[in-house]
């Protein structure tokens, strides 16, 4: 990889971070009191979102032997520990580790392909590894994707107007997506792209380049469908198999374009999701009374379709409460980004915000037919201990940006 410039300063009005030698000569800066390191509104909203999510998750997993609520609680416990460590960690130490972060991304995402370590789960995707328990490395790579994208764009100090540099950056940002598609895991890949897109925009990429990239992406999707039609082959049972997209992925996208095309086949999940949401009414049926999930009509209720469980049990009021908590969380994160000490810190926070917003909009949108159905979970609500740990790790990174802001940043906050 071509050598990239080192990050020295990203806000001209602020003092450069300086070299390691100068840090040693000047000594360690005095740490502010603990109370100054904590953003109490941020922690309060996180506590409310997590508590609400645990309540809904607890209700969704009752009577289902495939899910353990104790494991979800274990994920919260482990996440709290990691969050605390990262909150105290100085995120600026990672600013010039772009290459190392890219390597870590590649290793994490490709781990399931290691013989004897990887395992197949869910629609044939090879996304998990077995190390005493099943772990999804691509989920943890979301943290390093945020850090990698922020470190890469921060090097350009808020101005990325050279098309050759833009192409180089875009190519590097697409590496994690290309790796995750070898599993293949389109849902996680889309999350990586959402993170990269937000960081590109906030990192100063020229609008013209961004529009051309979007146009190229749309053309690439159309090309994939066209080429798949040419490469498809017929199985002995008379069905068709595609080479670029798996049959279930293709079916989900086509159902999004025409929801009524196959209500008992590829469109079944969407039809049942809408029934669950609509049956909740204004105040819902009450906890443990979600008939669509408990009677087996709604698949993957505790994970992909947990929003439907919430809507059925707690109704429109419960849905509004969750969205209000999400809105408060995003608003506080934006204020932390604004108060960040440098561009690297701001891009970290905005990358996390982009990830959460995309997951929220995609998960809720797919349940009501506004987005294609994917395996993207709902932050802090969907079942998954690895997913919970990752979200708490991202909270810790945001907390690190907050706690290491300068005096100017403290005044801005």
């Amino acid at each position: 990889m071509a050598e990239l410039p080192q990050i020295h300063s990203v806000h001209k009005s602020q003092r450069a971070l300086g070299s390691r030698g100068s840090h040693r000569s000047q000594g360690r800066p005095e740490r502010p009191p603990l109370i100054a390191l904590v953003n109490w509104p941020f922690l309060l909203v996180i506590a409310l979102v997590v508590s609400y999510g645990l309540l809904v998750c607890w209700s969704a997993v009752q009577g289902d032997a495939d899910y353990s609520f104790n494991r979800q609680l274990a994920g919260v416990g482990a996440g709290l520990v990691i969050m605390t460590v990262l909150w105290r960690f100085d995120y600026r130490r990672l600013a010039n580790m772009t290459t190392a972060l890219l390597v870590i991304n590649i290793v994490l995402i490709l781990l399931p392909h290691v013989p004897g370590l990887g395992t197949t789960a869910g629609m044939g995707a090879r996304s998990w590894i077995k190390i005493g328990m099943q772990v999804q490395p691509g989920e943890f790579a979301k943290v390093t994707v945020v850090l990698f994208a922020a470190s890469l764009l921060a090097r350009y100090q808020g101005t990325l107007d050279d098309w050759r540099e833009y192409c180089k950056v875009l190519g590097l940002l697409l590496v994690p997506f290309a790796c995750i598609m070898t599993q293949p895991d389109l849902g996680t890949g889309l999350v990586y792209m959402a993170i990269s897109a937000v960081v590109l925009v906030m990192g100063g990429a020229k609008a013209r380049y961004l529009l051309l990239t979007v146009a190229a992406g749309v053309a690439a999707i159309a090309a994939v469908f066209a080429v798949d039609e040419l490469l498809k082959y017929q199985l002995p049972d008379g069905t068709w198999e595609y080479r670029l997209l798996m049959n279930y992925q293709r079916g989900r996208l086509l159902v999004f374009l025409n929801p009524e095309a196959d209500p008992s086949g590829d469109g079944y999940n969407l039809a049942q999701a809408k029934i669950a949401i609509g049956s909740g009414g204004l105040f819902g049926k009450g906890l443990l009374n979600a008939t669509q999930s408990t009677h087996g009509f709604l698949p993957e209720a505790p994970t992909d379709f947990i929003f439907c469980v919430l809507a059925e049990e707690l109704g429109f009021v419960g849905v509004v409460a969750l969205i209000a908590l999400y809105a408060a969380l995003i608003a506080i994160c934006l204020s932390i980004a604004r108060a960040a000490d440098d561009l690297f810190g701001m891009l970290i926070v905005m990358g996390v915000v982009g990830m959460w917003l995309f997951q929220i909009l995609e998960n809720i949108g797919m349940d009501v037919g506004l987005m294609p159905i994917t395996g993207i979970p709902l932050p802090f609500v969907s079942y998954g201990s690895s997913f919970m740990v990752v979200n708490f790790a991202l909270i810790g990174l945001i907390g690190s940006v907050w706690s290491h802001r300068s005096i100017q940043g403290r005044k801005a906050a």
Side-chain angles (χ1 to χ4, degrees):
M1 186 177 72
E3 186 177 353
L4 293 169
Q6 295 291 298
I7 302 174
H8 297 299
S9 175
V10 289
H11 283 173
K12 293 182 179 179
S13 62
Q14 295 178 357
R15 186 180 57 191
L17 293 179
S19 63
R20 287 186 179 180
S22 63
H23 277 308
R24 287 180 182 142
S25 63
Q26 295 171 5
R28 292 178 61 85
E30 185 179 349
R31 298 285 292 178
L34 181 61
I35 192 170
L37 302 179
V38 179
N39 187 316
W40 297 106
F42 182 49
L43 282 185
L44 175 61
V45 171
I46 289 295
L48 291 174
V49 172
V50 172
S51 299
Y52 196 20
L54 286 175
L55 179 66
V56 176
C57 184
W58 168 80
S59 180
V61 302
Q62 295 305 304
D64 194 330
D66 293 333
Y67 301 96
S68 168
F69 185 67
N70 288 335
R71 184 170 180 179
Q72 187 77 347
L73 290 176
V76 173
L80 285 171
V81 174
I82 294 174
M83 180 194 78
T84 304
V85 172
L86 289 177
W87 197 300
R88 296 285 291 177
F89 177 78
D90 189 346
Y91 71 94
R92 293 170 294 189
R93 296 182 183 180
L94 304 173
N96 289 309
M97 294 181 61
T98 310
T99 303
L101 289 167
L102 178 60
V103 171
I104 293 171
N105 276 329
I106 295 171
V107 171
L108 276 175
I109 298 170
L110 296 183
L111 269 179
H113 294 297
V114 176
L117 188 63
T119 181
T120 302
M123 302 292 188
R126 196 171 185 83
S127 306
W128 300 77
I129 60 173
K130 264 195 164 182
I131 48 174
M133 59 180 180
Q134 283 195 346
V135 177
Q136 193 173 5
E139 194 69 38
F140 292 98
K142 290 175 182 176
V143 178
T144 49
V145 167
V146 169
L147 291 170
F148 165 66
S151 173
L152 180 61
L153 268 296
R155 294 173 180 274
Y156 294 91
Q157 302 190 23
T159 303
L160 182 55
D161 53 7
D162 184 285
W163 69 270
R164 288 165 296 191
E165 289 297 313
Y166 177 82
C167 290
K168 179 169 69 175
V169 168
L170 187 62
L172 290 171
L173 290 176
L174 286 174
V175 169
F177 176 79
C179 291
I180 201 70
M181 289 308 295
T182 63
Q183 298 184 0
D185 187 348
L186 179 60
T188 303
L190 291 175
V191 175
Y192 294 168
M193 291 186 71
I195 294 169
S196 300
V198 171
V199 174
L200 264 177
V201 172
M202 300 304 297
K206 218 169 187 177
R208 182 170 69 252
Y209 301 155
L210 295 171
L211 291 174
L212 288 173
T213 302
V214 172
V218 172
I221 294 172
V224 166
F225 274 89
V227 172
D228 237 1
E229 283 294 333
L230 296 175
L231 297 179
K232 69 179 181 180
Y233 58 95
Q234 196 168 21
L235 298 175
D237 61 2
T239 60
W240 291 94
E241 188 73 22
Y242 295 88
R243 297 181 183 275
L244 299 181
L245 287 175
M246 299 183 73
N247 281 9
Y248 78 91
Q249 293 173 332
R250 185 183 182 87
R252 286 175 172 179
L253 292 172
L254 293 176
V255 162
F256 168 67
L257 297 175
N258 186 7
E260 310 301 327
D262 189 12
S264 61
D266 290 326
Y268 176 82
N269 290 357
L270 177 58
Q272 295 302 317
K274 289 181 177 180
I275 292 172
I277 294 172
S279 65
L282 183 60
F283 296 105
K285 300 175 180 177
L287 290 173
L288 303 178
N289 291 321
T291 55
Q292 287 298 111
S293 58
T294 55
H295 292 171
F297 296 109
L298 187 66
E300 305 297 335
T303 53
D304 298 350
F305 292 96
I306 198 164
F307 177 78
C308 301
V309 177
L310 185 154
E312 187 176 4
E313 293 186 343
L314 302 178
F316 179 75
V317 173
V319 168
V320 170
L322 178 66
I323 293 175
L325 288 173
Y326 279 146
L329 174 62
I330 297 302
I332 293 173
C333 288
L334 292 177
S335 70
I336 293 174
R338 187 167 55 249
D341 198 40
D342 51 35
L343 183 61
F344 178 52
M346 185 272 283
L347 292 177
I348 288 175
V349 179
M350 292 308 300
V352 177
V353 167
M355 186 192 101
W356 282 341
L357 271 177
F358 176 74
Q359 290 180 318
I360 292 166
L361 295 174
E362 169 59 29
N363 185 277
I364 296 176
M366 75 178 188
D367 292 341
V368 298
L370 296 178
M371 301 286 273
I373 292 179
T374 59
I376 293 177
L378 192 60
F380 303 105
V381 181
S382 290
Y383 178 88
S385 54
S386 296
F387 180 58
M388 192 64 78
V389 169
V390 167
N391 280 310
F392 272 104
L394 294 171
I395 293 170
L397 286 177
I398 295 174
S400 177
V401 173
W402 168 266
S403 63
H404 292 91
R405 67 200 188 284
S406 64
I407 299 298
Q408 291 85 355
R410 295 178 198 279
K411 290 178 180 178

